[in-house]
Amino acid sequence: MSFRLFLMGALLLVASAFSAVADTRLIMVEEDGCMWCARWNEEIADIYPKTDAGKAAPLRRMDIHAPLPDDLAFSRKLVFTPTFVLMVDGKEVSRLEGYPGEDFFWGIFEKMLADARRDITG
């Protein structure tokens, strides 16, 4: 019986290690002239990579008019800018269409990470 518990524990440890190394990215879909993209850049862009959430999901920018990258699988068409798409291993797990302002962005984004079971503790 103790061997079974040991084996189950070892399997859980290996599984959690694999989930911890999953490639997690925040894709920012933007376009020239987008005032809300500019506002996000003014309020968030500089601090984003320094936060635990930003480290958990590094930012990748994408122009909405550019061809879709082969390494990303979006669940539906991209229509609005900015759109923030949380990707895990190249697959969309959640999205935020529009920029709700600095006060709301962090809470929504951290919930997206928590729902995707991405650890943001640094």
Side-chain angles (χ1 to χ4, degrees):
M1 172 123 173
S2 64
F3 178 72
R4 282 186 186 173
L5 289 175
F6 171 77
L7 186 57
M8 283 188 7
L11 288 173
L12 287 172
L13 183 63
V14 169
S16 68
F18 279 114
S19 70
V21 296
D23 182 37
T24 304
R25 303 267 173 207
L26 181 66
I27 310 302
M28 180 181 178
V29 182
E30 58 190 336
E31 67 182 320
D32 286 340
C34 168
M35 69 179 229
W36 293 103
C37 301
R39 187 167 167 199
W40 188 90
N41 286 325
E42 290 170 13
E43 296 177 354
I44 305 288
D46 289 341
I47 191 69
Y48 182 86
K50 300 173 188 172
T51 66
D52 289 339
K55 291 174 186 170
L59 185 68
R60 177 174 167 183
R61 293 172 181 265
M62 188 183 112
D63 188 284
I64 196 165
H65 303 293
L68 293 177
D70 291 335
D71 62 329
L72 300 177
F74 295 94
S75 62
R76 64 184 194 275
K77 185 177 179 180
L78 298 164
V79 179
F80 304 102
T81 58
T83 295
F84 301 91
V85 184
L86 185 62
M87 296 281 199
V88 176
D89 292 332
K91 294 180 178 74
E92 179 174 341
V93 295
S94 62
R95 85 171 48 187
L96 167 61
E97 294 177 321
Y99 174 57
E102 184 177 11
D103 292 338
F104 294 102
F105 174 80
W106 291 112
I108 294 168
F109 178 49
E110 288 175 3
K111 180 163 183 354
M112 290 166 65
L113 287 168
D115 289 348
R117 298 183 180 190
R118 301 291 103 192
D119 182 19
I120 62 169
T121 57

